[in-house]
Every structure is written in structure tokens, then in C-alpha cells.
Amino acid sequence: MAEQTILVVDDEKDLLDLIEYNLKKEGFKVLKAENGEQGIEKAREHKPDLVLLDIMMPKMDGLEAVEIMRKDDDLRNIPIIFLTARSDEKTEVEGLDKGGDDYITKPISTTKLISRIKAVMRRFEDIEESVNKLEVHDLMIDKDRYIVSRGEEEFQLPRKEFELLFYLASRKGKVLDRQTLLNKVWGDNIYVVDRTVDVHVRKIREKLGDHYIETVKGVGYRFKE
């Protein structure tokens, strides 16, 4: 396997150096940046396999940076883990909704950090090995381009909305509870509240219409047959 590259973006130099040392011991190539602007520049230049991103930084914080990355065609599919001292639920939900794939609160042991990084990378490898295109009803859902099309019309959904739609559509007709959807789309090693699924389903319906995803009261959701 080719050497995997991790971009670490944090304004604490001592922490950057500590993470770099431990990731290199695990065989990763490490890039470093000290604020969101610098992080985006390095991500565009090097296309890392994963970004470890602090939230509270000068010039541009992590929430702004992740929004920009998720709108950039070259960066939108890179997994992003937030590493931050902010532990309130509101910030965690906001970070995940904006496109983060995991959220780790400081301080954290390097052993646990590396375990979470490897778990996110495995999840993305599993996704990449699965079917990449689905034709359901009048929709074409293309994972290679992260595009949903209906006839000549194309929709670019944010990453988690797209992955939630893809997961539901790939199991057309099956009722899926919220916890299953959280585990499969956001990962079973992070905490995300149930309403995160509801918010994402609502946003999908606003863009595509409400006739694809059915609410099964008291259980969860089903992509209609």
C-alpha cells in the first residue's frame, strides 16, 4: 500500500509536533499547517488522505475551513476529523453537519487518536470498494462524482446528505432505524444525536422532493419502492 498522507491543522505547535512524531511512527507521511487558510492551501497542493483539523484557530477556524473544503471538487471527498478543546454538543453537531467525519475532544491519548484515524480511513476504503452508481426511480446517484441527477437536472448535495441518500437508496424498501443510519453514515465510534439524521433527511427532501424517502413513525426511514 502506498504511504498515506495526513494533514494536521492546529495552532498549537507543541501539539503539532507531538502528533507528527506519533503518526510518523505509525508509517504515515505528515503535513502541518497552523491555521485554516494554510490548511486549505496545503490540502489543495498535496491532496492528503485525511485531514486532522482543529476548530479554534486564527485567520480561519476549522468550521470555516471544512465548509470551503466540502465545496471544493478536489477536496470534498477527503475524510476530516475535528480535534478540538471545545466539547459542547452544539459545536460537535455543527462540525459534523458541516462535513466532519469524526470529532475528537482534547486532551486525547495518541494511541486513541491513531485508532480513530485508522477507523475513519477503513470506513472510507469500504465505501470506495462498494457499488459507485445507483439508478433508483428517476434518480442517478453517482458516488464517483458525488452528484445526483434527474434527467438533465443535477444536484450537488453536501457529503453527509449524499452518503445518507446513497445508503438509503442502496437498501430500497428496507426500513432503517436512526441508530443504524448514524452508525453506517457517520460511524459507530462517534456520538451524534438522532436529530442529525432528521435534519439531513429534511434537507434532502427540500432539494429532491419529499416522495423518495418515507418516514416510518417511531422507527426511522425507508427509501420508497
Side-chain angles (χ1 to χ4, degrees), residues 131-183:
V131 174
N132 286 329
K133 288 186 181 179
L134 288 175
E135 289 188 58
V136 282
H137 304 305
D138 54 351
L139 297 178
M140 169 67 79
I141 309 173
D142 184 346
K143 194 182 289 181
D144 289 329
R145 298 166 57 222
Y146 267 68
I147 293 286
V148 180
S149 55
R150 183 168 54 204
E152 298 299 315
E153 192 175 14
E154 287 192 344
F155 305 86
Q156 277 201 327
L157 275 58
R159 182 181 192 129
K160 288 304 178 187
E161 289 175 33
F162 180 92
E163 290 178 356
L164 178 59
L165 175 68
F166 194 96
Y167 190 79
L168 283 163
S170 67
R171 290 150 182 81
K172 184 174 64 174
K174 183 175 181 180
V175 178
L176 297 162
D177 63 78
R178 289 173 178 81
Q179 191 58 53
T180 296
L181 294 170
L182 287 172
N183 290 346

Side-chain angles (χ1 to χ4, degrees), residues 42-55:
K42 291 205 172 185
R44 285 173 172 156
E45 181 181 356
H46 298 282
K47 307 296 188 300
D49 296 289
L50 181 140
V51 177
L52 195 60
L53 184 64
D54 188 23
I55 287 183

Side-chain angles (χ1 to χ4, degrees), residues 21-86:
Y21 172 77
N22 284 279
L23 289 177
K24 283 184 173 179
K25 278 176 60 179
E26 290 293 318
F28 294 108
K29 180 180 177 181
V30 180
L31 304 169
K32 296 187 292 183
E34 295 182 5
N35 59 66
E37 288 182 357
Q38 195 180 97
I40 289 169
E41 288 173 8
K42 291 205 172 185
R44 285 173 172 156
E45 181 181 356
H46 298 282
K47 307 296 188 300
D49 296 289
L50 181 140
V51 177
L52 195 60
L53 184 64
D54 188 23
I55 287 183
M56 299 174 67
M57 294 182 292
K59 294 189 179 180
M60 179 188 293
D61 67 27
L63 295 175
E64 288 179 86
V66 79
E67 279 194 287
I68 291 170
M69 290 179 67
R70 291 306 182 221
K71 291 174 183 175
D72 187 315
D73 288 343
D74 292 328
L75 305 180
R76 66 199 315 260
N77 295 333
I78 296 173
I80 297 172
I81 298 177
F82 284 114
L83 178 62
T84 178
R86 295 177 65 173

